[in-house]
Amino acid sequence: QVQLVESGGGLVQVGGSLRLSCAASGRTLRTDVMGWFRQVPGNEREFVAIISPSGGTTYYADSVKGRFFISRDNAKNTVYLQMNSLKPEDTAVYYCALRFGPGIVKTPAYDYWGQGTQVTVSS
């Protein structure tokens, strides 16, 4: 059984930084695309960042480009999301997701999800 556990969320002021982590168990991640999505109550879950299995290719939503950075350590079975210059509109529950295989998909069509971690940016 695959499990994804996010950590690192919290309350931060505008302009601050947070680093989210997603630790996977039950499967090695070397062949899987990993993504970060976020959701605000009443809205659909939206794509934030995606990383290819090797880590060599990344994709970002326009709203976070240049501020957020996704990375992975396959030896540790962990994916990260470094979030800088945070804005109030970044407030959301952030989810880590795993998609089998190398295909890049920016919709929430992923195979496994974490439980989510709350990020709140206060002004």
Side-chain angles (χ1 to χ4, degrees), residues 13-15 67 85-92 119-123:
Q13 291 187 332
V14 169
R67 300 187 298 120
S85 301
L86 282 160
K87 304 175 181 180
E89 51 264 43
D90 295 319
T91 296
V119 172
T120 303
V121 184
S122 68
S123 55

Side-chain angles (χ1 to χ4, degrees), residues 52-104:
S52 63
S54 68
T57 304
T58 55
Y59 301 85
Y60 297 94
D62 288 342
S63 59
V64 307
K65 203 169 292 182
R67 300 187 298 120
F68 290 14
F69 300 95
I70 188 171
S71 61
R72 64 193 296 162
D73 185 338
N74 287 342
K76 294 183 178 180
N77 243 24
T78 302
V79 180
Y80 305 96
L81 184 68
Q82 177 67 43
M83 305 187 296
N84 302 324
S85 301
L86 282 160
K87 304 175 181 180
E89 51 264 43
D90 295 319
T91 296
V93 177
Y94 283 71
Y95 296 91
C96 172
L98 178 156
R99 181 176 170 87
F100 294 143
I104 298 297

